[in-house]
PDB file of all heavy atoms in Angstrom:
ATOM      1  N   VAL J   1       1.314 -31.980  20.202  1.00 96.00           N
ATOM      2  CA  VAL J   1       2.733 -31.608  20.220  1.00 96.00           C
ATOM      3  C   VAL J   1       3.481 -32.449  19.188  1.00 96.00           C
ATOM      4  O   VAL J   1       3.390 -33.682  19.184  1.00 96.00           O
ATOM      5  CB  VAL J   1       3.332 -31.814  21.622  1.00 96.00           C
ATOM      6  CG1 VAL J   1       4.810 -31.452  21.624  1.00 96.00           C
ATOM      7  CG2 VAL J   1       2.583 -30.980  22.656  1.00 96.00           C
ATOM      8  N   TRP J   2       4.214 -31.771  18.318  1.00 97.00           N
ATOM      9  CA  TRP J   2       4.990 -32.415  17.271  1.00 97.00           C
ATOM     10  C   TRP J   2       6.454 -31.981  17.397  1.00 97.00           C
ATOM     11  O   TRP J   2       6.753 -30.920  17.964  1.00 97.00           O
ATOM     12  CB  TRP J   2       4.477 -32.017  15.887  1.00 97.00           C
ATOM     13  CG  TRP J   2       3.028 -32.340  15.655  1.00 97.00           C
ATOM     14  CD1 TRP J   2       1.941 -31.625  16.062  1.00 97.00           C
ATOM     15  CD2 TRP J   2       2.509 -33.470  14.949  1.00 97.00           C
ATOM     16  NE1 TRP J   2       0.774 -32.232  15.662  1.00 97.00           N
ATOM     17  CE2 TRP J   2       1.088 -33.361  14.971  1.00 97.00           C
ATOM     18  CE3 TRP J   2       3.091 -34.562  14.296  1.00 97.00           C
ATOM     19  CZ2 TRP J   2       0.263 -34.306  14.378  1.00 97.00           C
ATOM     20  CZ3 TRP J   2       2.266 -35.494  13.682  1.00 97.00           C
ATOM     21  CH2 TRP J   2       0.867 -35.360  13.738  1.00 97.00           C
ATOM     22  N   THR J   3       7.363 -32.782  16.862  1.00 97.00           N
ATOM     23  CA  THR J   3       8.783 -32.427  16.897  1.00 97.00           C
ATOM     24  C   THR J   3       9.388 -32.567  15.501  1.00 97.00           C
ATOM     25  O   THR J   3       8.894 -33.317  14.654  1.00 97.00           O
ATOM     26  CB  THR J   3       9.580 -33.319  17.869  1.00 97.00           C
ATOM     27  OG1 THR J   3       9.463 -34.694  17.471  1.00 97.00           O
ATOM     28  CG2 THR J   3       9.075 -33.150  19.297  1.00 97.00           C
ATOM     29  N   LEU J   4      10.467 -31.824  15.282  1.00 97.00           N
ATOM     30  CA  LEU J   4      11.260 -31.959  14.062  1.00 97.00           C
ATOM     31  C   LEU J   4      12.710 -31.652  14.407  1.00 97.00           C
ATOM     32  O   LEU J   4      12.989 -30.879  15.324  1.00 97.00           O
ATOM     33  CB  LEU J   4      10.746 -31.033  12.966  1.00 97.00           C
ATOM     34  CG  LEU J   4      10.802 -29.521  13.215  1.00 97.00           C
ATOM     35  CD1 LEU J   4      12.068 -28.912  12.619  1.00 97.00           C
ATOM     36  CD2 LEU J   4       9.582 -28.836  12.628  1.00 97.00           C
ATOM     37  N   SER J   5      13.608 -32.288  13.687  1.00 96.00           N
ATOM     38  CA  SER J   5      15.034 -32.057  13.902  1.00 96.00           C
ATOM     39  C   SER J   5      15.577 -31.143  12.822  1.00 96.00           C
ATOM     40  O   SER J   5      15.220 -31.275  11.646  1.00 96.00           O
ATOM     41  CB  SER J   5      15.803 -33.385  13.899  1.00 96.00           C
ATOM     42  OG  SER J   5      15.396 -34.205  14.974  1.00 96.00           O
ATOM     43  N   ALA J   6      16.435 -30.214  13.216  1.00 96.00           N
ATOM     44  CA  ALA J   6      17.029 -29.278  12.261  1.00 96.00           C
ATOM     45  C   ALA J   6      18.446 -28.932  12.681  1.00 96.00           C
ATOM     46  O   ALA J   6      18.804 -29.051  13.861  1.00 96.00           O
ATOM     47  CB  ALA J   6      16.182 -28.011  12.156  1.00 96.00           C
ATOM     48  N   GLU J   7      19.231 -28.503  11.698  1.00 96.00           N
ATOM     49  CA  GLU J   7      20.601 -28.069  11.929  1.00 96.00           C
ATOM     50  C   GLU J   7      20.695 -26.553  11.795  1.00 96.00           C
ATOM     51  O   GLU J   7      19.823 -25.918  11.174  1.00 96.00           O
ATOM     52  CB  GLU J   7      21.550 -28.737  10.927  1.00 96.00           C
ATOM     53  CG  GLU J   7      21.537 -30.255  10.952  1.00 96.00           C
ATOM     54  CD  GLU J   7      22.088 -30.823  12.246  1.00 96.00           C
ATOM     55  OE1 GLU J   7      23.013 -30.204  12.812  1.00 96.00           O
ATOM     56  OE2 GLU J   7      21.599 -31.885  12.683  1.00 96.00           O
ATOM     57  N   VAL J   8      21.735 -25.978  12.366  1.00 97.00           N
ATOM     58  CA  VAL J   8      21.946 -24.540  12.260  1.00 97.00           C
ATOM     59  C   VAL J   8      21.921 -24.115  10.786  1.00 97.00           C
ATOM     60  O   VAL J   8      22.572 -24.728   9.939  1.00 97.00           O
ATOM     61  CB  VAL J   8      23.291 -24.131  12.891  1.00 97.00           C
ATOM     62  CG1 VAL J   8      23.607 -22.670  12.587  1.00 97.00           C
ATOM     63  CG2 VAL J   8      23.269 -24.338  14.392  1.00 97.00           C
ATOM     64  N   GLY J   9      21.129 -23.096  10.479  1.00 96.00           N
ATOM     65  CA  GLY J   9      21.024 -22.577   9.121  1.00 96.00           C
ATOM     66  C   GLY J   9      19.820 -23.092   8.359  1.00 96.00           C
ATOM     67  O   GLY J   9      19.427 -22.497   7.350  1.00 96.00           O
ATOM     68  N   ASP J  10      19.233 -24.205   8.810  1.00 96.00           N
ATOM     69  CA  ASP J  10      18.054 -24.740   8.120  1.00 96.00           C
ATOM     70  C   ASP J  10      16.891 -23.753   8.213  1.00 96.00           C
ATOM     71  O   ASP J  10      16.683 -23.110   9.243  1.00 96.00           O
ATOM     72  CB  ASP J  10      17.609 -26.070   8.735  1.00 96.00           C
ATOM     73  CG  ASP J  10      18.534 -27.218   8.394  1.00 96.00           C
ATOM     74  OD1 ASP J  10      19.391 -27.048   7.522  1.00 96.00           O
ATOM     75  OD2 ASP J  10      18.380 -28.296   9.020  1.00 96.00           O
ATOM     76  N   ASN J  11      16.116 -23.662   7.144  1.00 97.00           N
ATOM     77  CA  ASN J  11      14.895 -22.863   7.153  1.00 97.00           C
ATOM     78  C   ASN J  11      13.711 -23.815   7.318  1.00 97.00           C
ATOM     79  O   ASN J  11      13.620 -24.831   6.622  1.00 97.00           O
ATOM     80  CB  ASN J  11      14.753 -22.061   5.860  1.00 97.00           C
ATOM     81  CG  ASN J  11      14.588 -20.574   6.129  1.00 97.00           C
ATOM     82  OD1 ASN J  11      13.721 -20.186   6.917  1.00 97.00           O
ATOM     83  ND2 ASN J  11      15.403 -19.745   5.504  1.00 97.00           N
ATOM     84  N   ILE J  12      12.796 -23.483   8.220  1.00 97.00           N
ATOM     85  CA  ILE J  12      11.678 -24.359   8.571  1.00 97.00           C
ATOM     86  C   ILE J  12      10.374 -23.622   8.291  1.00 97.00           C
ATOM     87  O   ILE J  12      10.219 -22.461   8.674  1.00 97.00           O
ATOM     88  CB  ILE J  12      11.732 -24.741  10.065  1.00 97.00           C
ATOM     89  CG1 ILE J  12      13.071 -25.399  10.411  1.00 97.00           C
ATOM     90  CG2 ILE J  12      10.560 -25.648  10.432  1.00 97.00           C
ATOM     91  CD1 ILE J  12      13.359 -25.420  11.915  1.00 97.00           C
ATOM     92  N   VAL J  13       9.438 -24.299   7.644  1.00 97.00           N
ATOM     93  CA  VAL J  13       8.092 -23.762   7.419  1.00 97.00           C
ATOM     94  C   VAL J  13       7.086 -24.819   7.870  1.00 97.00           C
ATOM     95  O   VAL J  13       7.150 -25.964   7.411  1.00 97.00           O
ATOM     96  CB  VAL J  13       7.834 -23.428   5.934  1.00 97.00           C
ATOM     97  CG1 VAL J  13       6.434 -22.834   5.766  1.00 97.00           C
ATOM     98  CG2 VAL J  13       8.890 -22.473   5.391  1.00 97.00           C
ATOM     99  N   VAL J  14       6.182 -24.454   8.780  1.00 96.00           N
ATOM    100  CA  VAL J  14       5.150 -25.384   9.244  1.00 96.00           C
ATOM    101  C   VAL J  14       3.799 -24.684   9.111  1.00 96.00           C
ATOM    102  O   VAL J  14       3.632 -23.557   9.580  1.00 96.00           O
ATOM    103  CB  VAL J  14       5.370 -25.824  10.706  1.00 96.00           C
ATOM    104  CG1 VAL J  14       4.416 -26.967  11.057  1.00 96.00           C
ATOM    105  CG2 VAL J  14       6.806 -26.252  10.955  1.00 96.00           C
ATOM    106  N   ARG J  15       2.836 -25.365   8.498  1.00 94.00           N
ATOM    107  CA  ARG J  15       1.535 -24.765   8.222  1.00 94.00           C
ATOM    108  C   ARG J  15       0.420 -25.696   8.678  1.00 94.00           C
ATOM    109  O   ARG J  15       0.518 -26.923   8.517  1.00 94.00           O
ATOM    110  CB  ARG J  15       1.411 -24.465   6.727  1.00 94.00           C
ATOM    111  CG  ARG J  15       0.174 -23.661   6.330  1.00 94.00           C
ATOM    112  CD  ARG J  15       0.345 -23.162   4.900  1.00 94.00           C
ATOM    113  NE  ARG J  15      -0.831 -22.508   4.377  1.00 94.00           N
ATOM    114  CZ  ARG J  15      -1.153 -21.229   4.623  1.00 94.00           C
ATOM    115  NH1 ARG J  15      -0.364 -20.491   5.388  1.00 94.00           N
ATOM    116  NH2 ARG J  15      -2.239 -20.698   4.095  1.00 94.00           N
ATOM    117  N   VAL J  16      -0.622 -25.140   9.251  1.00 93.00           N
ATOM    118  CA  VAL J  16      -1.768 -25.913   9.728  1.00 93.00           C
ATOM    119  C   VAL J  16      -3.049 -25.314   9.150  1.00 93.00           C
ATOM    120  O   VAL J  16      -3.140 -24.097   8.961  1.00 93.00           O
ATOM    121  CB  VAL J  16      -1.823 -25.928  11.280  1.00 93.00           C
ATOM    122  CG1 VAL J  16      -2.003 -24.532  11.843  1.00 93.00           C
ATOM    123  CG2 VAL J  16      -2.924 -26.856  11.789  1.00 93.00           C
ATOM    124  N   GLY J  17      -4.032 -26.167   8.858  1.00 88.00           N
ATOM    125  CA  GLY J  17      -5.298 -25.682   8.319  1.00 88.00           C
ATOM    126  C   GLY J  17      -6.445 -26.605   8.669  1.00 88.00           C
ATOM    127  O   GLY J  17      -6.249 -27.794   8.946  1.00 88.00           O
ATOM    128  N   ASP J  18      -7.643 -26.054   8.686  1.00 83.00           N
ATOM    129  CA  ASP J  18      -8.836 -26.843   8.975  1.00 83.00           C
ATOM    130  C   ASP J  18      -8.979 -28.004   7.991  1.00 83.00           C
ATOM    131  O   ASP J  18      -8.764 -27.846   6.792  1.00 83.00           O
ATOM    132  CB  ASP J  18     -10.094 -25.979   8.885  1.00 83.00           C
ATOM    133  CG  ASP J  18     -10.227 -25.006  10.049  1.00 83.00           C
ATOM    134  OD1 ASP J  18      -9.556 -25.221  11.068  1.00 83.00           O
ATOM    135  OD2 ASP J  18     -11.000 -24.042   9.928  1.00 83.00           O
ATOM    136  N   GLY J  19      -9.403 -29.146   8.529  1.00 79.00           N
ATOM    137  CA  GLY J  19      -9.678 -30.300   7.698  1.00 79.00           C
ATOM    138  C   GLY J  19     -11.149 -30.350   7.315  1.00 79.00           C
ATOM    139  O   GLY J  19     -11.926 -29.446   7.643  1.00 79.00           O
ATOM    140  N   PRO J  20     -11.561 -31.410   6.638  1.00 73.00           N
ATOM    141  CA  PRO J  20     -12.957 -31.529   6.206  1.00 73.00           C
ATOM    142  C   PRO J  20     -13.891 -31.862   7.372  1.00 73.00           C
ATOM    143  O   PRO J  20     -13.454 -32.257   8.446  1.00 73.00           O
ATOM    144  CB  PRO J  20     -12.904 -32.677   5.198  1.00 73.00           C
ATOM    145  CG  PRO J  20     -11.741 -33.509   5.646  1.00 73.00           C
ATOM    146  CD  PRO J  20     -10.742 -32.538   6.190  1.00 73.00           C
ATOM    147  N   GLY J  21     -15.182 -31.709   7.136  1.00 73.00           N
ATOM    148  CA  GLY J  21     -16.175 -32.078   8.134  1.00 73.00           C
ATOM    149  C   GLY J  21     -16.495 -30.940   9.077  1.00 73.00           C
ATOM    150  O   GLY J  21     -16.000 -29.822   8.946  1.00 73.00           O
ATOM    151  N   ALA J  22     -17.354 -31.235  10.064  1.00 73.00           N
ATOM    152  CA  ALA J  22     -17.734 -30.234  11.069  1.00 73.00           C
ATOM    153  C   ALA J  22     -16.490 -29.756  11.800  1.00 73.00           C
ATOM    154  O   ALA J  22     -15.699 -30.558  12.292  1.00 73.00           O
ATOM    155  CB  ALA J  22     -18.743 -30.832  12.043  1.00 73.00           C
ATOM    156  N   ASN J  23     -16.321 -28.438  11.867  1.00 81.00           N
ATOM    157  CA  ASN J  23     -15.070 -27.902  12.410  1.00 81.00           C
ATOM    158  C   ASN J  23     -15.299 -26.530  13.026  1.00 81.00           C
ATOM    159  O   ASN J  23     -15.774 -25.613  12.352  1.00 81.00           O
ATOM    160  CB  ASN J  23     -14.032 -27.806  11.277  1.00 81.00           C
ATOM    161  CG  ASN J  23     -12.611 -27.833  11.786  1.00 81.00           C
ATOM    162  OD1 ASN J  23     -12.303 -27.201  12.783  1.00 81.00           O
ATOM    163  ND2 ASN J  23     -11.763 -28.576  11.103  1.00 81.00           N
ATOM    164  N   THR J  24     -14.985 -26.387  14.304  1.00 88.00           N
ATOM    165  CA  THR J  24     -15.055 -25.077  14.969  1.00 88.00           C
ATOM    166  C   THR J  24     -13.662 -24.608  15.382  1.00 88.00           C
ATOM    167  O   THR J  24     -13.524 -23.645  16.128  1.00 88.00           O
ATOM    168  CB  THR J  24     -15.962 -25.146  16.211  1.00 88.00           C
ATOM    169  OG1 THR J  24     -15.452 -26.139  17.118  1.00 88.00           O
ATOM    170  CG2 THR J  24     -17.393 -25.514  15.819  1.00 88.00           C
ATOM    171  N   LEU J  25     -12.649 -25.308  14.888  1.00 89.00           N
ATOM    172  CA  LEU J  25     -11.261 -25.024  15.251  1.00 89.00           C
ATOM    173  C   LEU J  25     -10.774 -23.710  14.642  1.00 89.00           C
ATOM    174  O   LEU J  25     -10.992 -23.439  13.465  1.00 89.00           O
ATOM    175  CB  LEU J  25     -10.379 -26.174  14.764  1.00 89.00           C
ATOM    176  CG  LEU J  25      -8.909 -26.203  15.195  1.00 89.00           C
ATOM    177  CD1 LEU J  25      -8.799 -26.496  16.679  1.00 89.00           C
ATOM    178  CD2 LEU J  25      -8.160 -27.258  14.388  1.00 89.00           C
ATOM    179  N   ILE J  26     -10.135 -22.877  15.444  1.00 91.00           N
ATOM    180  CA  ILE J  26      -9.380 -21.712  14.967  1.00 91.00           C
ATOM    181  C   ILE J  26      -7.912 -22.117  15.068  1.00 91.00           C
ATOM    182  O   ILE J  26      -7.318 -22.088  16.149  1.00 91.00           O
ATOM    183  CB  ILE J  26      -9.643 -20.460  15.828  1.00 91.00           C
ATOM    184  CG1 ILE J  26     -11.128 -20.110  15.848  1.00 91.00           C
ATOM    185  CG2 ILE J  26      -8.822 -19.281  15.308  1.00 91.00           C
ATOM    186  CD1 ILE J  26     -11.700 -19.715  14.510  1.00 91.00           C
ATOM    187  N   PRO J  27      -7.296 -22.554  13.975  1.00 92.00           N
ATOM    188  CA  PRO J  27      -5.946 -23.122  14.041  1.00 92.00           C
ATOM    189  C   PRO J  27      -4.928 -22.159  14.656  1.00 92.00           C
ATOM    190  O   PRO J  27      -4.849 -20.992  14.272  1.00 92.00           O
ATOM    191  CB  PRO J  27      -5.609 -23.405  12.581  1.00 92.00           C
ATOM    192  CG  PRO J  27      -6.925 -23.513  11.892  1.00 92.00           C
ATOM    193  CD  PRO J  27      -7.816 -22.550  12.596  1.00 92.00           C
ATOM    194  N   TRP J  28      -4.175 -22.679  15.607  1.00 95.00           N
ATOM    195  CA  TRP J  28      -3.136 -21.918  16.306  1.00 95.00           C
ATOM    196  C   TRP J  28      -1.881 -22.770  16.338  1.00 95.00           C
ATOM    197  O   TRP J  28      -1.913 -23.923  16.780  1.00 95.00           O
ATOM    198  CB  TRP J  28      -3.606 -21.588  17.721  1.00 95.00           C
ATOM    199  CG  TRP J  28      -2.676 -20.734  18.536  1.00 95.00           C
ATOM    200  CD1 TRP J  28      -1.670 -19.940  18.094  1.00 95.00           C
ATOM    201  CD2 TRP J  28      -2.687 -20.583  19.963  1.00 95.00           C
ATOM    202  NE1 TRP J  28      -1.044 -19.291  19.128  1.00 95.00           N
ATOM    203  CE2 TRP J  28      -1.661 -19.666  20.301  1.00 95.00           C
ATOM    204  CE3 TRP J  28      -3.477 -21.124  20.983  1.00 95.00           C
ATOM    205  CZ2 TRP J  28      -1.382 -19.303  21.618  1.00 95.00           C
ATOM    206  CZ3 TRP J  28      -3.203 -20.750  22.299  1.00 95.00           C
ATOM    207  CH2 TRP J  28      -2.172 -19.837  22.603  1.00 95.00           C
ATOM    208  N   ILE J  29      -0.771 -22.220  15.853  1.00 96.00           N
ATOM    209  CA  ILE J  29       0.464 -22.980  15.782  1.00 96.00           C
ATOM    210  C   ILE J  29       1.619 -22.175  16.362  1.00 96.00           C
ATOM    211  O   ILE J  29       1.717 -20.960  16.149  1.00 96.00           O
ATOM    212  CB  ILE J  29       0.764 -23.408  14.326  1.00 96.00           C
ATOM    213  CG1 ILE J  29       1.983 -24.332  14.269  1.00 96.00           C
ATOM    214  CG2 ILE J  29       0.911 -22.213  13.402  1.00 96.00           C
ATOM    215  CD1 ILE J  29       2.162 -25.007  12.921  1.00 96.00           C
ATOM    216  N   ARG J  30       2.466 -22.866  17.135  1.00 98.00           N
ATOM    217  CA  ARG J  30       3.649 -22.242  17.737  1.00 98.00           C
ATOM    218  C   ARG J  30       4.857 -23.144  17.523  1.00 98.00           C
ATOM    219  O   ARG J  30       4.715 -24.368  17.507  1.00 98.00           O
ATOM    220  CB  ARG J  30       3.429 -22.018  19.239  1.00 98.00           C
ATOM    221  CG  ARG J  30       2.465 -20.894  19.574  1.00 98.00           C
ATOM    222  CD  ARG J  30       2.021 -20.917  21.033  1.00 98.00           C
ATOM    223  NE  ARG J  30       1.034 -21.961  21.290  1.00 98.00           N
ATOM    224  CZ  ARG J  30       0.472 -22.173  22.470  1.00 98.00           C
ATOM    225  NH1 ARG J  30       0.817 -21.442  23.507  1.00 98.00           N
ATOM    226  NH2 ARG J  30      -0.424 -23.145  22.626  1.00 98.00           N
ATOM    227  N   ILE J  31       6.031 -22.535  17.371  1.00 98.00           N
ATOM    228  CA  ILE J  31       7.259 -23.308  17.231  1.00 98.00           C
ATOM    229  C   ILE J  31       8.288 -22.814  18.242  1.00 98.00           C
ATOM    230  O   ILE J  31       8.480 -21.602  18.413  1.00 98.00           O
ATOM    231  CB  ILE J  31       7.816 -23.252  15.784  1.00 98.00           C
ATOM    232  CG1 ILE J  31       9.046 -24.155  15.647  1.00 98.00           C
ATOM    233  CG2 ILE J  31       8.111 -21.827  15.338  1.00 98.00           C
ATOM    234  CD1 ILE J  31       9.485 -24.383  14.204  1.00 98.00           C
ATOM    235  N   PHE J  32       8.910 -23.780  18.926  1.00 98.00           N
ATOM    236  CA  PHE J  32       9.890 -23.484  19.973  1.00 98.00           C
ATOM    237  C   PHE J  32      11.249 -24.056  19.578  1.00 98.00           C
ATOM    238  O   PHE J  32      11.341 -25.145  18.997  1.00 98.00           O
ATOM    239  CB  PHE J  32       9.457 -24.110  21.304  1.00 98.00           C
ATOM    240  CG  PHE J  32       8.175 -23.566  21.871  1.00 98.00           C
ATOM    241  CD1 PHE J  32       6.948 -24.070  21.457  1.00 98.00           C
ATOM    242  CD2 PHE J  32       8.188 -22.550  22.825  1.00 98.00           C
ATOM    243  CE1 PHE J  32       5.758 -23.572  21.976  1.00 98.00           C
ATOM    244  CE2 PHE J  32       7.006 -22.053  23.345  1.00 98.00           C
ATOM    245  CZ  PHE J  32       5.792 -22.557  22.921  1.00 98.00           C
ATOM    246  N   SER J  33      12.314 -23.326  19.919  1.00 98.00           N
ATOM    247  CA  SER J  33      13.677 -23.760  19.609  1.00 98.00           C
ATOM    248  C   SER J  33      14.101 -24.897  20.538  1.00 98.00           C
ATOM    249  O   SER J  33      13.430 -25.176  21.537  1.00 98.00           O
ATOM    250  CB  SER J  33      14.639 -22.585  19.764  1.00 98.00           C
ATOM    251  OG  SER J  33      14.875 -22.325  21.137  1.00 98.00           O
ATOM    252  N   PRO J  34      15.236 -25.569  20.239  1.00 98.00           N
ATOM    253  CA  PRO J  34      15.736 -26.619  21.128  1.00 98.00           C
ATOM    254  C   PRO J  34      15.997 -26.124  22.553  1.00 98.00           C
ATOM    255  O   PRO J  34      15.992 -26.922  23.494  1.00 98.00           O
ATOM    256  CB  PRO J  34      17.036 -27.060  20.447  1.00 98.00           C
ATOM    257  CG  PRO J  34      16.815 -26.774  18.998  1.00 98.00           C
ATOM    258  CD  PRO J  34      16.020 -25.492  18.984  1.00 98.00           C
ATOM    259  N   SER J  35      16.208 -24.820  22.723  1.00 97.00           N
ATOM    260  CA  SER J  35      16.437 -24.273  24.059  1.00 97.00           C
ATOM    261  C   SER J  35      15.141 -23.843  24.749  1.00 97.00           C
ATOM    262  O   SER J  35      15.166 -23.313  25.856  1.00 97.00           O
ATOM    263  CB  SER J  35      17.398 -23.082  23.982  1.00 97.00           C
ATOM    264  OG  SER J  35      16.826 -22.025  23.220  1.00 97.00           O
TER     265      SER J  35
END
């Protein structure tokens, strides 16, 4: 779980990807509003 602060009107882009090494992860990312 990660957090970021933003103001009304801000545009947000968050991206996740597999790192190096042995990896069976299927990256899944979700973003929730302050409410």
Side-chain angles (χ1 to χ4, degrees):
V1 179
W2 302 81
T3 59
L4 63 95
S5 296
E7 302 293 326
V8 171
D10 287 349
N11 235 308
I12 303 163
V13 182
V14 190
R15 188 167 174 82
V16 62
D18 288 342
N23 204 318
T24 58
L25 188 69
I26 302 296
W28 184 19
I29 186 168
R30 287 166 284 181
I31 184 168
F32 296 84
S33 76
S35 63

